[in-house]
């Protein structure tokens, strides 16, 4: 997994911050033209062939942060025009992802390579274990690319770790094979296969896979101030900033939101409904039920593992239930979900209760643009405190645990967690699909509640987080502990 501290992430943040500052000052159209110049000044060190090529790439990155597809980019059209159109836009444009060809490295296909660490050893396990006789050893091992099937057995058996895999990061990270090369060697996304997990966006070291920002749209509503703009923050967002419970609410209010609601409130509703649904399913003899919180998982089932469709919980997500609370409490309001991932942005397109979806990266940029210092933020007391288990939805195992504490008869529960929808996770899903269909015999101790987290570690490990997932897992504990005791009435 690519470390979140990298140059691509830093450039993305800087562009978002400059856009947010310019828009808040009412100078977006005038300022966007100069963003590439500021970030790639004459005399500075270029990343590519020259500063002017860097600027052209930055122009297209700015375009994506304004919410437009770079596939529609024209260098004859000033960025100011794109900015003006973004300010007039009534809703986000589809698709949510855009591929920057000029940044794409057109990586060579994934393959194995023998390094100079090879000792040409007598045992030669790489050669002996190769199923296609693709390896021969002279003084060093050599791989015949025409025979190699990329099985990796040579790498696994080398005692010197002298054989390495050269991956194509975006293709390697996609769990469903939605990314392939076109005739020019550039990567393309098949949206009929894509589950919008965001792995490609996170793993591309060239930042060529980009999400289209909705920050301009949200700031526009905050500035207009004609309707209440309600922030709905996911539990995982509480772990993205070093703040005490209640300080994030204060920061969001200072950033311009009219009201703030915890999505953990919706998680309580979700857990109550899923616990009831699970008990009913087990009573009628269902083999298993899966949780419904991650829309990337839901799409994975619909497209790639249809055998599991009957097992997917009918309960809606915490985001939906919290947006429902907001729309009922503040009629006509604008709802803005703030989360760690791309999948929720996809879900937002399909949910009429959710108007916009911002990532942790985008809300962080807004905080920087508004010079919000968390150490100076007061603690805003919550009107209603969710349960601790609802706040714990952000980490792997949290959803299943939340259902468990609500079951009257806990003995009926045999839960498991698929901790990340990578290729191995998809294989596990397929296995459960075969069990449900009866293709594979039903094991006596087979889990009957399957929690699926698209991201390893849970939502704290989402593709748009700003905090190291391990650190975030630690930071979320006091936030969870401050939740209401699950033994109390919710």
């Amino acid at each position: 997994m690519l470390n979140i501290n990298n140059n691509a992430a830093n450039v993305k943040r800087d562009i978002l911050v400059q856009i947010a500052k310019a828009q808040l000052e009412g100078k977006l159209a005038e300022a966007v033209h100069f963003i590439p110049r500021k970030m790639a000044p004459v005399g500075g060190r270029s990343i590519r062939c020259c500063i002017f090529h860097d600027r052209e790439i930055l122009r297209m990155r700015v375009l994506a942060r304004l919410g437009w597809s770079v596939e529609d980019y024209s260098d004859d059209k000033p960025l100011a025009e794109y900015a003006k159109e973004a300010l007039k836009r009534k809703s986000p444009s589809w698709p949510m992802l855009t591929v920057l060809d000029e940044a794409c490295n057109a990586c060579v296909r994934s393959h194995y390579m023998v390094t100079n660490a090879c000792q040409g050893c007598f045992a030669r396990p790489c050669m002996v274990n190769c199923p296609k006789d693709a390896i021969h050893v002279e003084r060093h091992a050599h791989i015949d690319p025409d025979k190699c099937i990329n099985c990796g057995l040579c790498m696994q058996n080398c005692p010197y770790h002298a054989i390495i895999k050269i991956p194509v990061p975006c293709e390697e990270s996609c769990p469903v094979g939605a990314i392939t090369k076109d005739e020019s060697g550039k990567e393309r996304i098949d949206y009929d296969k894509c589950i919008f997990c965001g792995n490609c966006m996170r793993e591309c070291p060239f930042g060529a896979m980009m999400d289209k920002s909705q920050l301009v749209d949200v700031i526009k509503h905050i500035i207009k101030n004609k309707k209440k703009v309600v922030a709905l923050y996911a539990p995982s967002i509480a772990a993205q900033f070093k703040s005490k419970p209640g300080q994030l609410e204060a920061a969001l209010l200072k950033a311009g939101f009219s009201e703030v609601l915890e999505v953990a409130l919706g998680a309580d509703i979700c857990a109550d409904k899923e616990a009831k649904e699970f008990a009913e399913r087990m009573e009628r003899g269902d083999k298993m039920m899966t949780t419904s919180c991650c829309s990337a998982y839901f799409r994975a089932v619909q497209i790639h593992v249809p055998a599991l469709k009957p097992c997917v919980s009918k309960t809606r997500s915490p985001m939906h239930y919290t947006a429902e609370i907001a729309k009922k409490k503040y009629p006509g309001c604008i709802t803005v979900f703030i989360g760690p991932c791309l999948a929720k942005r996809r879900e937002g397109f399909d949910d009429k209760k959710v108007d916009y979806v911002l990532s942790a990266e985008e809300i962080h940029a807004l905080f920087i643009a508004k010079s919000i210092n968390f150490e100076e933020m007061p603690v805003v007391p919550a009107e209603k405190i969710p349960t601790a288990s609802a706040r714990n939805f952000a980490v792997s195992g949290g959803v299943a645990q939340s259902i468990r504490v609500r079951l009257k008869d806990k003995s009926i529960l045999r839960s498991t967690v698929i901790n990340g929808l990578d290729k191995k996770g998809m294989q596990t899903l397929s296995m459960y699909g075969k069990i449900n269909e009866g293709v594979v015999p039903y094991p006596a101790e087979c889990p009957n509640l399957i929690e699926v987290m698209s991201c390893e570690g849970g939502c704290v490990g989402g593709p748009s987080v700003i905090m190291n997932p391990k650190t975030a897992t630690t930071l979320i504990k006091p936030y969870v502990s401050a939740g209401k005791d699950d033994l109390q009435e919710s």
Side-chain angles (χ1 to χ4, degrees):
M1 183 182 292
L2 189 66
N3 194 305
I4 61 170
N5 182 25
N6 64 75
N7 189 56
N10 293 341
V11 167
K12 180 179 182 180
R13 181 198 60 220
D14 291 349
I15 292 173
L16 285 169
V17 170
Q18 291 190 60
I19 286 175
K21 282 183 176 178
Q23 188 177 0
L24 289 167
E25 292 170 1
K27 300 176 181 178
L28 181 61
E30 301 94 307
V32 288
H33 172 75
F34 297 98
I35 291 176
R37 292 188 180 190
K38 287 180 181 178
M39 297 184 71
V42 173
R45 175 179 289 184
S46 62
I47 295 174
R48 292 171 182 79
C49 59
C50 65
I51 289 295
F52 301 102
H53 191 194
D54 286 355
R55 286 182 181 179
E56 189 64 14
I57 298 295
L58 285 166
R59 276 172 56 86
M60 289 185 271
R61 294 195 189 282
V62 170
L63 195 69
R65 304 304 154 222
L66 290 172
W68 300 118
S69 296
V70 297
E71 288 84 354
D72 301 327
Y73 169 75
S74 169
D75 57 4
D76 293 327
K77 186 174 179 178
L79 281 177
E81 292 301 313
Y82 286 110
K84 289 174 184 177
E85 290 174 7
L87 292 172
K88 294 176 183 177
R89 186 171 54 214
K90 293 183 178 180
S91 60
S93 61
W94 180 261
M96 304 159 9
L97 282 168
T98 182
V99 183
L100 180 50
D101 272 359
E102 287 296 315
C104 179
N105 194 46
C107 307
V108 296
R109 76 179 182 91
S110 179
H111 65 285
Y112 290 85
M113 184 178 79
V114 182
T115 70
N116 59 8
C118 176
Q119 303 294 305
C121 66
F122 177 68
R124 300 182 178 180
C126 58
M127 186 175 75
V128 173
N129 287 283
C130 178
K132 295 296 180 181
D133 294 324
I135 298 180
H136 69 276
V137 180
E138 293 170 2
R139 295 189 66 179
H140 300 287
H142 300 274
I143 299 174
D144 185 341
D146 295 327
K147 291 182 179 180
C148 178
I149 59 172
N150 281 343
C151 65
L153 288 173
C154 57
M155 182 179 72
Q156 294 170 28
N157 283 282
C158 178
Y160 291 100
H161 304 288
I163 300 176
I164 61 173
K165 183 176 183 179
I166 309 296
V168 179
C170 59
E171 292 182 13
E172 193 81 7
S173 66
C174 179
V176 294
I179 302 178
T180 54
K181 295 182 182 297
D182 64 12
E183 61 278 359
S184 67
K186 302 289 186 176
E187 302 296 338
R188 291 290 177 265
I189 301 172
D190 184 342
Y191 290 109
D192 291 330
K193 291 182 179 179
C194 181
I195 61 174
F196 299 100
C197 61
N199 287 350
C200 61
M201 183 180 74
R202 172 176 52 199
E203 297 301 323
C204 176
F206 290 89
M209 301 289 180
M210 302 188 295
D211 59 325
K212 289 157 57 178
S213 177
Q214 296 180 13
L215 185 58
V216 168
D217 307 76
V218 173
I219 293 176
K220 176 177 63 179
H221 285 290
I222 289 175
I223 292 172
K224 283 184 177 179
N225 200 26
K226 290 183 178 180
K227 296 181 179 180
K228 280 186 178 291
V229 184
V230 184
L232 318 171
Y233 74 88
S236 57
I237 298 302
Q240 298 303 304
F241 305 94
K242 294 180 180 179
S243 60
K244 300 174 184 176
Q247 285 186 310
L248 179 57
E249 282 84 348
L252 289 166
L253 290 170
K254 187 173 181 180
F257 290 95
S258 314
E259 304 289 343
V260 180
L261 291 176
E262 285 190 59
V263 174
L265 293 169
D268 268 323
I269 297 171
C270 177
D272 289 344
K273 288 179 177 290
E274 283 205 323
K276 182 180 178 182
E277 181 184 353
F278 175 74
E280 290 172 350
R281 280 174 175 261
M282 293 305 103
E283 189 176 341
R284 76 185 184 208
D286 285 13
K287 291 179 182 177
M288 61 186 78
M289 185 183 95
T290 66
T291 60
S292 63
C293 297
C294 182
S295 56
Y297 160 66
F298 180 79
R299 188 169 168 83
V301 169
Q302 299 301 310
I303 300 172
H304 302 284
V305 195
L308 268 182
K309 281 184 183 180
C311 304
V312 175
S313 169
K314 304 298 181 186
T315 303
R316 300 293 295 269
S317 72
M319 177 177 83
H320 171 80
Y321 291 122
T322 312
E324 203 169 49
I325 293 171
K327 292 289 188 182
K328 187 175 180 180
K329 189 173 182 180
Y330 311 109
C333 71
I334 302 294
T335 52
V336 181
F337 176 83
I338 303 168
C341 66
L342 190 72
K344 285 298 179 186
R345 185 162 287 172
R346 178 67 186 86
E347 184 183 343
F349 270 93
D350 297 329
D351 194 331
K352 293 181 180 179
K353 302 287 185 184
V354 180
D355 296 303
Y356 298 101
V357 175
L358 293 184
S359 67
E361 293 171 315
E362 289 165 323
I363 201 65
H364 183 220
L366 181 57
F367 288 157
I368 295 172
K370 297 277 286 187
S371 301
I372 292 173
N373 184 349
F374 273 85
E375 292 182 1
E376 299 172 356
M377 288 295 102
V379 173
V380 175
E383 187 177 321
K384 184 178 181 182
I385 299 177
T387 64
S389 66
R391 286 178 166 179
N392 205 38
F393 265 49
V395 297
S396 287
V399 180
Q401 174 65 11
S402 190
I403 292 172
R404 190 194 72 81
V405 299
R406 287 162 170 78
L407 288 174
K408 292 180 180 178
D409 182 4
K410 294 177 176 52
S411 66
I412 65 172
L413 179 67
R414 299 187 306 276
S415 65
T416 190
V417 178
I418 295 180
N419 186 23
L421 270 188
D422 52 13
K423 292 176 182 177
K424 185 178 178 181
M426 288 300 298
Q427 290 173 355
T428 305
L429 276 187
S430 296
M431 179 195 70
Y432 284 127
K434 290 174 181 177
I435 290 173
N436 186 59
E437 282 188 319
V439 176
V440 174
Y442 185 75
E445 294 302 315
C446 182
N448 54 12
L449 178 67
I450 304 166
E451 176 192 316
V452 185
M453 284 289 187
S454 178
C455 299
E456 184 179 350
C459 300
V460 290
S464 301
V465 297
I466 59 169
M467 185 67 68
N468 180 288
K470 290 183 179 179
T471 305
T473 302
T474 300
L475 289 175
I476 205 168
K477 289 179 181 178
Y479 168 72
V480 170
S481 299
K484 191 163 58 176
D485 189 333
D486 287 290
L487 297 178
Q488 296 177 20
E489 288 279 297
S490 34

